[in-house]
Amino acid sequence: TVDEHTLRAIEAIDEVATATEKVARPFGRVLDEIEDSVALYLGMLLHDVGKGRGGGHSERGARMAPRACARLGLDERATEDVVFLVAEHLEMSQISQHRDLTETSLVAAFAERVGSVHRLNLLHVLTFADHRAVAPGIWNEWKGTLLWDLYNRTRRHLAGHPGDDDPVETARARAIAALGAEFPEGDLERHFALLPERYLRATDADRMARHFRLVSGRGEAPAAFEWRDLPDGHCTELALVTDDRPGLLASVAGTLTAHGADILSVDLFNRRDGVVIDTFRLSEVSSHRPVKPERRARVEQDVVLALSGRHDVAAAVAARLRKNPPLARRALGRAARGPSVRFDQEVSATATVIEVKAQDRPGLAWTIADALARLGLDIRFAKIATAKALALDVFYVTGAGGLKLAPEDLAGVEAALLAALGGRKTTKTKEDE
């Protein structure tokens, strides 16, 4: 309930302040920069006060908050900070979990909305505490990674040097320097020239070097793989190099699902010569931990078979679901919701963003990717998020000629997705809201 959640969220701020848990300590360093935490605590107390009267609770709460601040005698700056936190308390989680943070315009727009490092610090700590107070298991290391990525990018932008910490040219130069003793300079320059600019923005020098070694070492093999458990130990990063083909993501996602892997995010990079470098963040469905090493060779084998058309991905997913049927769940006592589809044509300069909200279940990402592939759409980037038994899967897609989808195509895309998910048509775009 809102009242218990609010009290637990305030308690979570106390945990940040005292650093009683390891996960809270990095946020404690941010809290230390906040000179007066009154606005933070009061913003948390009021952040959900607008609930219970229909949608738009953030805006409604922001209209109510000034009255409470006036009665408490807060000064103008503290009042403005409280109102800001109530109005924007969902933004960092929504952007970090559902958007491509390599879109420089996205970070710039968010930085402009925040306005200062002081408010960014307030919102960062509040977002963490808000998540921790929803229910056990809602906060995880993956969400933390995404939230810190947005925080750091926005802080650099607010400080006036958004390209610091491995800017594009520096990262590429570092990668070339690391590889120079092993490979001809011409091969390196050609490789990076073939990649999209977004790859250079999204990839650090170490990954660039490892990806090039993977591309170079592939030879005539249909695919090359690299598995790497991330340092914080919550998931595995799988890099896949192969040739582009229609339905590539659906084939790989389905195979991973059939092997019990939970797909957290997908990044897809196409070289202009048809070679693709795809990166998947994965965890075990059963444990939410990195994929076990002993299972990886079999996954690779089935991915190669799927890419050649010799592995029935749909049958493998169905067999997995029969063996491990999803538990029937209801979102904290609420009636099960039907799936919904929303389009955003504004947030990305080059792609249409499709948000699909549905009851969480194994194979959901594959179902969506397969439906999009059947429509002939190219998936460039995807993020997967789950909360309260609801999944919000986000796909950046392009249509014919690598362009955004035309407005007249959206209804057909929605109908196809809902048919695959078993729902009814309820088209929404950002412009409708």
Side-chain angles (χ1 to χ4, degrees):
T1 58
V2 172
D3 52 355
E4 181 182 0
H5 161 71
T6 299
L7 294 174
R8 288 184 179 272
I10 291 172
E11 184 179 51
I13 298 177
D14 287 341
E15 292 172 356
V16 171
T18 57
T20 53
E21 293 188 46
K22 181 180 178 181
V23 68
R25 288 170 194 160
F27 293 91
R29 291 191 286 271
V30 176
L31 183 61
D32 287 343
E33 295 186 16
I34 300 172
E35 295 180 4
D36 188 346
S37 60
V38 167
L40 175 61
Y41 276 93
L42 187 56
M44 183 62 85
L45 184 67
L46 299 176
H47 78 290
D48 277 345
V49 73
K51 282 191 170 180
R53 298 182 178 91
H57 78 277
S58 298
E59 296 81 0
R60 187 181 301 108
R63 293 193 297 270
M64 300 166 68
R67 299 198 297 273
C69 294
R71 287 196 296 272
L72 291 169
L74 263 67
D75 61 32
E76 182 179 358
R77 184 193 181 193
T79 298
E80 290 175 351
D81 286 343
V82 170
V83 173
F84 165 79
L85 290 174
V86 175
E88 306 292 342
H89 73 272
L90 299 175
E91 287 303 301
M92 286 195 79
S93 60
Q94 291 181 345
I95 292 173
S96 64
Q97 292 175 35
H98 307 139
R99 292 293 179 261
D100 178 4
L101 300 184
T102 66
E103 292 267 7
T104 54
S105 59
L106 176 75
V107 175
F110 179 65
E112 183 177 0
R113 194 166 181 173
V114 172
S116 68
V117 172
H118 166 70
R119 284 194 173 173
L120 178 65
N121 287 340
L122 289 171
L123 190 58
H124 189 51
V125 175
L126 182 139
T127 302
F128 167 72
D130 190 16
H131 265 81
R132 292 273 285 178
V134 172
I138 292 295
W139 176 262
N140 56 43
E141 292 296 333
W142 173 239
K143 290 179 180 177
T145 299
L146 299 175
L147 186 62
W148 277 105
D149 189 12
L150 176 59
Y151 173 82
N152 290 326
R153 289 174 185 269
T154 306
R155 182 160 181 148
R156 290 196 296 269
H157 196 282
L158 289 167
H161 36 81
D164 282 4
D165 291 352
D166 235 1
V168 169
E169 291 303 323
T170 302
R172 178 165 47 190
R174 282 179 175 172
I176 290 175
L179 296 165
E182 304 172 53
F183 303 97
E185 184 177 352
D187 291 352
L188 297 171
E189 293 290 353
R190 177 179 178 274
H191 167 73
F192 287 113
L194 289 170
L195 284 162
E197 181 185 353
R198 184 177 161 275
Y199 175 85
L200 304 176
R201 294 199 311 268
T203 314
D204 60 35
D206 178 64
R207 281 186 174 86
M208 287 183 188
R210 288 189 286 104
H211 291 168
F212 181 83
R213 292 189 179 98
L214 201 60
V215 171
S216 179
R218 175 189 165 201
E220 298 299 318
F225 303 84
E226 181 198 57
W227 300 80
R228 179 171 173 263
D229 291 345
L230 296 189
D232 53 20
H234 73 276
C235 70
T236 299
E237 183 176 87
L238 168 62
L240 165 67
V241 172
T242 188
D243 296 322
D244 195 18
R245 70 205 73 195
L248 173 63
L249 176 58
S251 296
V252 178
T255 304
L256 293 170
T257 297
H259 280 274
D262 191 13
I263 302 172
L264 302 173
S265 76
V266 185
D267 231 338
L268 315 170
F269 304 106
N270 290 41
R271 291 199 333 185
R272 287 196 296 276
D273 61 352
V275 173
V276 299
I277 303 172
D278 293 351
T279 57
F280 297 80
R281 297 284 179 92
L282 310 168
S283 65
E284 297 268 5
V285 169
S286 57
S287 66
H288 304 292
R289 305 301 297 170
V291 177
K292 295 177 181 177
E294 58 268 25
R295 299 178 57 172
R296 298 174 184 180
R298 181 63 185 273
V299 172
E300 293 182 14
Q301 177 184 346
D302 283 351
V303 167
V304 170
L305 291 174
L307 295 178
S308 66
R310 292 178 290 144
H311 180 57
D312 190 334
V313 176
V317 173
R320 173 76 188 186
L321 296 183
R322 285 195 300 270
K323 185 178 179 181
N324 299 279
L327 298 175
R329 293 190 293 179
R330 294 179 68 189
L332 300 180
R334 301 186 181 115
R337 301 178 185 178
S340 63
V341 178
R342 176 180 177 272
F343 299 91
D344 190 335
Q345 297 276 41
E346 298 177 357
V347 71
S348 173
T350 59
T352 295
V353 177
I354 304 177
E355 296 181 354
V356 182
K357 185 179 290 186
Q359 293 292 310
D360 187 33
R361 65 175 189 258
L364 181 62
W366 167 75
T367 300
I368 298 169
D370 184 59
L372 294 174
R374 292 175 187 276
L375 293 170
L377 302 182
D378 184 24
I379 301 170
R380 195 192 74 180
F381 175 80
K383 271 189 175 178
I384 316 299
T386 304
K388 303 183 192 176
L390 284 174
L392 180 58
D393 292 358
V394 179
F395 293 81
Y396 283 58
V397 306
T398 55
L403 302 175
K404 290 185 180 185
L405 304 186
E408 59 269 22
D409 294 335
L410 301 185
V413 172
E414 183 200 18
L417 288 170
L418 292 179
L421 298 168
R424 294 182 301 172
K425 186 176 182 300
T426 56
T427 304
K428 286 186 179 180
T429 65
K430 185 174 180 179
E431 291 78 5
D432 295 328
E433 299 179 350

